[in-house]
Each structure stands twice: as C-alpha cells, then as structure tokens.
C-alpha cells in the first residue's frame, strides 16, 4: 500500500506570495493532519481534517488555511508569505479521527526569500 | 495543555550496544496514546512504537521497547543491538483520546539526536 505523498517536495517563494501544498493520504485513511517543523519551534500542529471538516486547529494565524476533498486528499494554503514561514511542512494521515496512529509523508520544504 | 519533555538533546551509542532515550509528559487525562517517531536525515517521520495508556504491558517492536510508567508520566525508549541505520532524531509524542474533543493533536517533544558509533 502506498504511503502518504506530498507535493511538491521543495518550493521556493518570495515574501508576499502565496503557496499551496498538497497531501494524498494512505488509501482508506480519512483523517489528515498538517504540522510545521522549524529548528526554532520544533514540530507544531497546524490543523486536522476528517471527512472534509476541520476538526482541530493549532495556534497559527489566519494566513494558514486548509481543506480536505471528498477523496480525503488535503491541501494547505499559506497567503502573504513571511520569511518565518520557511519550514518543513509535514502531512500525516490516519485511518480514523483521534484514536489512530498517524503516518507521515516525506514533507514539503518551503523556503521563503 | 499537554507537554512533552525530552531532556537529552543528543545521545550516542556504540554499534550493537543498548541505549535508552528518555521522555516525560504532563497531562491530567487518564487515557491517551504515546508514540516514538524517528526522523532520519531524509526527514521522513517514521513510527517506531506506540503505547496505549490503558495498557499496563509495555509495547515492544523487534529491537525497540518502551518502559511506560504511567504514575510517573514517563515513557522511555530502549533500542537494543543498535545498528547504524538507527541514527536519527527521535521524537516522543502524546495524543489525547477522542473524549477530549478538539485536543487530539499530536504534541511532540523537542527530540533526541541519536548517533551510532561504528
């Protein structure tokens, strides 16, 4: 069974631009979570989606948004990029919401210049 | 809010030896999950082992085992017969069970970088 896939793997943007990252969960998984990883802040939770509904949200500004489609694929969007948004963005999927183990994708490395 | 603490930023072990990574957590909940993930240089986060808080028996997965002390809120990972491929950043993580709706995210520790000495 294929694992979690994320596209693109690497991205370079400039301040003020917006970016969309994509995540395809493991087949059959219905929950998708997003995390931001930086050297300074470590791993921080962004949001979690289940059945196309956002179930949980971390402490990030409104510039960070996401959505989930009926096939469980998810996208996250960051508008008006700032230098501090440079990070590894990890997507994780689980079979169901809340009680299941999360399996991670390889991440998208975003660099903001 | 739950917190996870990994007090060892770096550890090293001789190949084939045993090493233990420490993790403590703070929670007021009685039911939850604990995980160890490894993140090698490829940055792919890989599940190592999972423990349900309601289970008293410590989880094991081949060379990896945990020492779960619920009362002490401690969750250490033991790696036996260390191999070069075990070199990675190891993260301890906590997840609430669904009874605490809206708070079921994974909370990670700051990680322990494990080096294997040939």
């Amino acid at each position: 069974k294929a694992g979690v896939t994320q596209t693109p793997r690497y991205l370079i943007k400039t301040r003020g631009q917006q970016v969309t990252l994509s995540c395809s969960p493991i087949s059959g998984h219905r929950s998708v979570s997003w995390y931001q990883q930086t050297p300074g802040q470590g791993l921080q939770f962004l949001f979690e989606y289940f059945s196309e509904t956002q179930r949980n949200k971390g402490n990030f500004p409104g510039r960070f948004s996401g959505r989930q489609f009926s096939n469980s694929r998810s996208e996250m969007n960051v508008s008006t990029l700032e230098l501090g948004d440079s990070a590894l963005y990890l997507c994780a999927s689980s079979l169901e919401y809340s009680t299941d183990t999360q399996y991670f994708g390889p991440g998208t490395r975003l660099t903001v210049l | 809010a739950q917190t996870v603490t990994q007090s060892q930023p770096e550890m090293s072990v001789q190949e084939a030896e045993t090493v233990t990574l420490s993790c403590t957590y703070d929670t007021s909940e009685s039911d939850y999950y604990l995980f160890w993930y490894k993140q090698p240089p490829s940055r792919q986060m890989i599940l190592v082992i999972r423990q349900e808080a309601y289970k008293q028996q410590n989880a094991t997965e081949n060379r990896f085992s945990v020492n779960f002390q619920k009362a002490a809120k401690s969750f250490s990972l033991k790696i036996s017969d260390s191999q070069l491929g075990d070199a990675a950043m190891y993260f301890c993580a906590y997840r609430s069970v669904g009874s605490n709706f809206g708070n079921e995210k994974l909370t990670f520790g700051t990680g322990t970088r494990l080096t294997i000495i040939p």
Side-chain angles (χ1 to χ4, degrees), chain A residues 9 31 33 35 37 43 45 48 55-56 88 90 94 96-106 109, chain B residues 33 35 37 39 42-47 50 91 95-99 101-106 108-109:
Chain A
R9 293 292 311 280
S31 179
S33 296
Y35 296 85
Q37 185 176 25
L43 281 149
F45 172 77
E48 181 170 14
R55 296 301 183 101
N56 203 351
L88 179 68
L90 293 165
S94 58
E96 295 291 340
Y97 175 66
S98 168
T99 59
D100 279 294
T101 300
Q102 294 186 345
Y103 297 91
F104 285 79
R109 167 75 66 187
Chain B
Y33 295 92
F35 304 86
Y37 285 91
Q39 189 177 42
S42 68
R43 309 308 299 273
Q44 172 89 48
M45 194 76 78
I46 301 165
L47 175 70
R50 155 184 159 143
F91 291 96
R95 184 169 188 175
S96 297
V97 176
S99 57
F101 184 78
N103 197 33
E104 300 89 343
K105 65 182 187 297
L106 270 177
F108 287 90

Side-chain angles (χ1 to χ4, degrees), chain B residues 12-19 38 61-64 78-88 90 114-118:
Chain B
S12 61
V13 64
Q14 207 80 28
E15 195 176 0
E17 296 296 308
T18 296
V19 65
K38 67 180 277 189
E61 197 69 44
N62 300 317
R63 298 182 295 106
F64 299 87
K78 185 171 84 170
I79 306 174
S80 304
D81 186 25
S82 297
Q83 301 175 359
L84 294 177
D86 294 334
Y90 285 81
L114 178 64
T115 301
I116 310 297
I117 304 167

